[in-house]
Amino acid sequence: MKKKIKKKWIILGVIAIVLIGAGAASAILGGKNAGMPVNVTDVSKMDMKQVIDISGTVQSEEITTYFAGANAQIAELNVKDGEEVKKGVSLVSYDTTELESALAKAQLEKKSADLGSDIVVIGVNDAQRKVGEAASKYDEAVQYVQHYTECVSQLKGQLAAANELTAQKASLEGEITALNAELKKKPESKVIPNTIEQKTEELKEVKRQLKAYDLPALESALELCSEDLAEYKAQEAEYKAGKEAADPAAQKQKEQQSVAKEISAFSEKEIEDEIAKAKEGVSSKAQGIVSDVKVVKGQMVQAGEPLFNIADSTKVKVTVQLTKQNLENIAVGQKADLTINGKEYTGEVSKINRVASTNQAGATVVDADIHIDRPDDNIYLGVEAKVNIEVASKEGVLAVPLACVNYGTDNTFCYVVKDGVIAKKEVELGIISDEYIEIVSGLEQTDQIVNSMGTEYEEGTAVTPVKEEEK
């Protein structure tokens, strides 16, 4: 099976008949056999460009979704689908009446919450102050209890010593009195006087020691110290109870009230910020075309809710779908010529999608973007654009018309006239233009290439080459 690139070439039957007749006459007159006439062409040397023609759709390179900046009602909506807006134009304004009412309410609630927090904190502080005072007084009472305990102990010791001396004094006095009475009965006794003298000396020593003690003062001091000790012991017990009454969660309560005040202040600040954003409204960030308007005037919107899209009309592209054959030759950075609404533009391949899809015909395609260099007001988003992409160019290459190339099952070849007969030459192909294809190898510039093979011709057929004039 032989397949040829589709190309129409006109063969004039009259010329063929004349040529056949001329050949027959030549054979009769010259006495030689002439081959059948066949149209041939030269191998040309030329500069070539391979261009891919494809159609696509004009789109914006930058589509921005605008969102509501506040929870408010739309007072004015200055956009419609399909209309163009300039940069910095007010598109949406909000009614801030409800927000301002909410702010007034939030301010009153904050004031009430702050007062409640202050009351709680004052109570906690007072309780903590009392606990602190109790702890301080408890330590002081403990010291006084220790002091008066020692005082009572010392006074009791002194009184015990004084009482013991008093008892000794009374005992010695009684003994001396008894000895004097006995001496009266026994005046001749030599022992009794000595004993009386001894006891008298002991009594003197006891009296001398006893003079060091002021019993009334000691008793009075002991009474006072005992009373003070009892008082400070009672204070110690009282302050200990106050000290142990400290609430371990008191500090947490204060922190909780501080956080509550921050929350109420934050809520107030949120509403203030929302009012500020609502008063700003929504303005266009760039010149563009409005699309997909989702809201209407008078509608309540929530902050973050999408309102509409604006496609930047100063940054535009043409999106095309590449087939497998085209994809092999297209690369980012290649220059392109575009025709949009009858006007010519230049551009460049800016992006080739890395994921294929299926078009309406069921073919696998890959989207590619062609950036438009200098867009103007003649460009409308969504319209069709014709794109010519120069994918290759070479200078001074050998080339033949597309119709001269034949495709076999395992090779590519051209028919040539060699030594008066049809011959087949296998060729290696290069880039392709609208009418010609590059011959990388297999042909010489002097070869005569058959450009119209009929069924009556086959390899080895004797022919007479007839060069067809260029049309």
Side-chain angles (χ1 to χ4, degrees), residues 9-12 15-20 22-23 34-42 416-417 420 422 448-452 457 463-471:
W9 296 91
I10 301 174
I11 302 174
L12 299 178
I15 295 175
I17 294 172
V18 171
L19 288 175
I20 291 171
M36 298 175 63
V38 64
N39 291 332
V40 296
T41 187
D42 293 332
V416 301
V417 176
I422 297 292
Q448 292 182 314
I449 313 301
V450 177
N451 59 15
S452 179
Y457 301 108
V463 293
T464 298
V466 178
K467 189 174 293 186
E468 184 180 35
E469 292 182 359
E470 293 184 358
K471 295 184 172 53

Side-chain angles (χ1 to χ4, degrees), residues 28 113 193 215 257 362 396 442:
I28 294 171
L215 288 176
Q257 296 308 312

Side-chain angles (χ1 to χ4, degrees), residues 9 38 108 130 141 194 212 229 266 274-275 305 313 330 368 414:
W9 296 91
V38 64
L108 290 174
K130 290 180 179 179
N194 290 335
L229 176 60
F266 183 73
E274 199 165 4
I275 290 175
E305 181 178 344
S313 57
I330 300 294
C414 290

Side-chain angles (χ1 to χ4, degrees), residues 65-81 83 91-94 281-282 290-310:
T65 299
Y66 286 71
F67 299 91
N71 301 319
Q73 184 180 35
I74 295 177
E76 294 293 336
L77 181 65
N78 304 318
V79 293
K80 293 180 180 179
D81 279 324
E83 73 176 2
L91 306 178
V92 176
S93 60
Y94 298 105
V282 178
V290 178
S291 65
D292 198 18
V293 178
K294 301 178 184 295
V295 293
V296 295
K297 180 179 178 179
Q299 180 177 335
M300 284 294 299
V301 293
Q302 299 297 311
E305 181 178 344
L307 303 175
F308 45 80
N309 297 333
I310 293 183

Side-chain angles (χ1 to χ4, degrees), residues 206-458:
V206 169
K207 287 182 178 180
R208 185 187 65 78
Q209 293 180 14
L210 194 57
K211 286 182 180 179
Y213 296 95
D214 185 349
L215 288 176
L218 286 174
E219 289 175 350
S220 177
L222 178 59
E223 183 179 357
L224 290 175
C225 280
S226 297
E227 290 176 356
D228 288 340
L229 176 60
E231 180 180 349
Y232 281 107
K233 279 187 174 182
Q235 289 184 8
E236 179 185 16
E238 177 186 351
Y239 295 142
K240 182 179 181 181
K243 171 186 173 183
E244 293 176 350
D247 185 356
Q251 187 60 34
K252 295 296 182 183
Q253 286 181 311
K254 291 172 67 175
E255 292 177 6
Q256 182 185 41
Q257 296 308 312
S258 177
V259 170
K261 293 178 76 171
E262 287 183 13
I263 290 173
S264 59
F266 183 73
S267 299
E268 181 183 13
K269 181 67 167 56
E270 277 187 319
I271 298 176
E272 289 175 345
D273 291 344
E274 199 165 4
I275 290 175
K277 290 178 181 178
K279 288 182 177 179
E280 288 178 5
V282 178
S283 298
S284 54
K285 300 173 184 177
Q287 177 179 329
I289 309 300
V290 178
S291 65
D292 198 18
V293 178
K294 301 178 184 295
V295 293
V296 295
K297 180 179 178 179
Q299 180 177 335
M300 284 294 299
V301 293
Q302 299 297 311
E305 181 178 344
L307 303 175
F308 45 80
N309 297 333
I310 293 183
D312 193 332
S313 57
T314 65
K315 300 175 183 178
V316 290
K317 63 184 179 181
V318 174
T319 299
V320 298
Q321 291 187 330
L322 304 177
T323 63
K324 177 182 178 181
Q325 291 74 19
N326 289 340
L327 184 61
E328 295 174 354
N329 297 303
I330 300 294
V332 172
Q334 290 173 334
K335 300 300 180 182
D337 294 319
L338 306 100
T339 303
I340 303 171
N341 289 336
K343 189 173 181 180
E344 303 295 327
Y345 300 88
T346 60
E348 180 180 293
V349 178
S350 58
K351 177 184 176 182
I352 299 176
N353 202 324
R354 304 298 297 179
V355 179
S357 59
T358 303
N359 63 13
Q360 293 180 344
T364 299
V365 293
V366 172
D367 286 350
D369 293 338
I370 316 298
H371 170 75
I372 301 175
D373 293 332
R374 287 176 292 277
D376 55 27
D377 292 340
N378 190 56
I379 292 178
Y380 294 86
L381 301 182
V383 302
E384 184 182 25
K386 293 182 179 180
V387 181
N388 296 325
I389 303 174
E390 181 181 315
V391 297
S393 64
K394 290 184 179 180
E395 296 180 354
V397 299
L398 298 182
V400 298
L402 293 172
C404 294
V405 178
N406 299 269
Y407 297 87
T409 56
D410 55 0
N411 63 355
T412 306
F413 59 91
C414 290
Y415 289 109
V416 301
V417 176
K418 184 176 182 181
D419 299 328
V421 299
I422 297 292
K424 184 167 68 173
K425 279 192 173 184
E426 189 172 334
V427 294
E428 181 183 352
L429 305 178
I431 65 175
I432 304 172
S433 68
D434 288 341
E435 298 181 354
Y436 285 85
I437 186 166
E438 177 192 4
I439 302 299
V440 177
S441 64
L443 295 180
E444 302 293 335
Q445 193 170 357
T446 56
D447 286 336
Q448 292 182 314
I449 313 301
V450 177
N451 59 15
S452 179
M453 280 287 288
T455 57
E456 68 273 24
Y457 301 108
E458 62 181 14

